[in-house]
Amino acid sequence: MTEAEDRKPQSDEAHSAFRPPHGVAASADGESSTTSEFEIPQGLAVPRPTGSESETTSEFALPEGLDVPPAPPAEAEGSAFSTPNTYSAWSAPAAFTPAGGFPAVSLTKDVPWQDRMRLMLRMPVAERPAPETAQRHDDEAGPAVPRVLDLTLRIGELLLAGGEGAEDVEAAMFAVCRSYGLDRCEPNVTFTLLSVSHQPSLVDDPVTASRTVRRRGTDYTRLAAVFQLVDDLSDPDTHISLEEAYRRLAEIRRNRHPYPTWVLTAASGALAGAASLLVGGDVVVFFAALFGAMLGDRLAWLCAGRGLPEFYQFAVAAMPPAAIGIALTLTHVDVKASAVITGGLFALLPGRALVAGVQDGLTGFYITAAARLLEVMYFFVSIVGGVLVVLYFGVQLGAELNPDAALGTGDEPVVQIFASMLLSLAFAILLQQERSTVLAVTLNGGVAWCVYGAMHYTGGISPVASTAAAAGLVGLFGQLMSRYRFASALPYTTAAIGPLLPGSATYFGLLAIAQSEVDEGLLSLSKAVALAMAIAIGVNLGGEISRLFLKVPGAASAAGRRAAKRTRGF
């Protein structure tokens, strides 16, 4: 069988429309070749081009002898999002103009920078007004973006490590970026991680930097210095170069604490002694609680020097006051041993972390709030564990502790007001506050206890509502003082809530559990949690009330309170 016979016969659809008609010779391979209607007929001789004449015969052909300059090389094909050659990031226009126009926001120093930056952070990026660069630069291009972001992260790290709320940390970071002309910045704060991203325009690559907070320390003097630095950077009348800002930040880091270690130990003892007077103790109880708290503080410092975590430090610090109270009961000394143990608990309850955690949750920073509240829970469990161990052995040795004993009945208001002010003073020293703020926070603590005593002991109102009202007054006063002095509100509020901490409810709950009365113990601990939440919510509500009635001048009414338009849980 030949090759032609072996082929499959083609179907009718396979016949080409250009099949040669009958009489036209096929190709040499025996198959018909497809011809176009523009093909040169056979037998027609066409001269081939010799290279001297143009093969083009169109009327648009160039005449011979006419030299045309070569066309410039075409630009390389790029993306539609590539930056034009004439684009400048420093004079970039806004991405678009909203339908309602840009909100009129005053960027002058009419109000604290916290309120101005918080207002702009709650706006969409495209609606934020252009930054009015307040700092001078050696060149028109401004400082390097990575250095500005690094300075921003370092400032945010000090604020977050000092206990500042996440929203205020973001506002400070945003203020630093805008003071150096970096628009379209987005700071992000979590419990241990800070990040900031800068994108000059929609067509430029973003620059992102991050920093991890590994160590935390309570030093409100350093916190106030950082706030002053941010305030100077945000002031258009105060020109600070990037190098000067780095120098001031290094000085803030190197500054020593305003109070030596022995003063802090004495303040811890004074806080416990004042708390024992606050719940009905006498002079003997005062010195017993003072000695127990000082011993616990020294033991905690010893554990810290050995590298033990804070969980064990709190447990060790809670044992000496409880042991002294048990010893007084076993020796049949006619004193309120429960007041000694309660005073020691006041010195350990993490009120600062609790207020910061609830504040972060109320302002929408749920991850940071959850981490802070988890930290508070660990500290509380540590204190509970340390006290329960001592109480258990005390009950086994025959110590008669009455969980139904009445503490702090309000029979001596003058002594209790003095004790509340002493407690706030000692708490302020433990927080390493500036000496200029100690007097204000001491008076604030005394006023808070007066409000609580008048509502609870005289008016018969529930302790939770009385605590919330007193804490709200503390938050309002602290926010007003911070706005007046352009500083943080923490130095004016944290120490003032010390007299309101639920030390007695915590102690009685632990004592009931140690005596196998679990139901009553859990009920008392639930009351302590409710009081703690009332303190935190009251402080935050007082600050929000001050911002509610003291709006940003020149701000549009629709953009005055951006936080009110957040999710409602669905």
Side-chain angles (χ1 to χ4, degrees), residues 402-420:
N402 184 13
D404 299 326
L407 292 179
T409 58
D411 296 335
E412 299 178 351
V414 177
V415 175
Q416 290 184 335
I417 292 175
F418 169 77
S420 64

Side-chain angles (χ1 to χ4, degrees), residues 411-478:
D411 296 335
E412 299 178 351
V414 177
V415 175
Q416 290 184 335
I417 292 175
F418 169 77
S420 64
M421 296 177 65
L422 178 61
L423 192 152
S424 300
L425 174 64
F427 204 173
I429 295 176
L430 285 176
L431 294 174
Q432 305 278 0
Q433 291 189 196
E434 291 181 302
R435 292 178 175 85
S436 60
T437 64
V438 170
L439 179 60
V441 74
T442 301
L443 296 176
N444 197 12
V447 172
W449 182 258
C450 288
V451 173
Y452 172 79
M455 295 181 63
H456 178 53
Y457 296 125
T458 305
I461 303 176
S462 67
V464 176
S466 303
T467 300
L473 186 63
V474 169
L476 178 61
F477 176 79

Side-chain angles (χ1 to χ4, degrees), residues 152-174:
T152 302
L153 291 173
R154 291 178 183 273
I155 290 177
E157 178 190 10
L158 288 181
L159 293 177
L160 187 62
E164 192 62 66
E167 187 177 31
D168 292 328
V169 175
E170 282 196 358
M173 295 171 63
F174 190 68

Side-chain angles (χ1 to χ4, degrees), residues 323-534:
I324 292 178
I326 295 294
L328 292 176
T329 303
L330 292 176
T331 55
H332 303 287
V333 179
D334 189 15
V335 295
K336 291 184 178 180
S338 300
V340 178
I341 303 175
T342 302
L345 291 177
F346 267 87
L348 297 175
L349 292 178
R352 174 183 59 87
L354 175 66
V355 173
V358 174
Q359 180 181 358
D360 288 341
L362 294 176
T363 52
F365 294 85
Y366 300 114
I367 297 178
T368 307
R372 289 185 188 272
L373 294 178
L374 184 62
E375 181 187 36
V376 172
M377 187 193 72
Y378 270 101
F379 290 161
F380 190 76
V381 170
S382 174
I383 297 171
V384 168
V387 176
L388 271 180
V389 169
V390 178
L391 289 180
Y392 177 77
F393 283 105
V395 171
Q396 297 299 320
L397 293 175
E400 297 180 359
L401 298 173
N402 184 13
D404 299 326
L407 292 179
T409 58
D411 296 335
E412 299 178 351
V414 177
V415 175
Q416 290 184 335
I417 292 175
F418 169 77
S420 64
M421 296 177 65
L422 178 61
L423 192 152
S424 300
L425 174 64
F427 204 173
I429 295 176
L430 285 176
L431 294 174
Q432 305 278 0
Q433 291 189 196
E434 291 181 302
R435 292 178 175 85
S436 60
T437 64
V438 170
L439 179 60
V441 74
T442 301
L443 296 176
N444 197 12
V447 172
W449 182 258
C450 288
V451 173
Y452 172 79
M455 295 181 63
H456 178 53
Y457 296 125
T458 305
I461 303 176
S462 67
V464 176
S466 303
T467 300
L473 186 63
V474 169
L476 178 61
F477 176 79
Q479 191 63 231
L480 292 177
M481 286 298 297
S482 67
R483 295 172 68 91
Y484 174 73
R485 301 191 62 177
F486 292 87
S488 173
L490 289 181
Y492 301 99
T493 58
T494 305
I497 65 173
L500 305 176
L501 292 175
S504 58
T506 304
Y507 162 70
F508 286 131
L510 300 179
L511 180 59
I513 294 176
Q515 294 180 346
S516 301
E517 299 177 0
V518 181
D519 294 339
E520 295 182 3
L522 293 179
L523 181 62
S524 184
L525 291 179
S526 301
K527 179 182 176 181
V529 173
L531 291 174
M533 294 297 294

Side-chain angles (χ1 to χ4, degrees), residues 274-342:
S276 65
L277 293 179
L278 198 64
V279 294
D282 53 13
V283 178
V284 178
V285 171
F286 173 84
F287 284 102
L290 183 144
F291 177 74
M294 292 177 62
L295 180 60
D297 181 78
R298 287 292 87 197
L299 290 177
W301 276 99
L302 181 62
C303 294
R306 297 296 185 271
L308 287 179
E310 285 186 310
F311 181 88
Y312 303 104
Q313 297 177 26
F314 272 81
V316 171
M319 289 182 178
I324 292 178
I326 295 294
L328 292 176
T329 303
L330 292 176
T331 55
H332 303 287
V333 179
D334 189 15
V335 295
K336 291 184 178 180
S338 300
V340 178
I341 303 175
T342 302

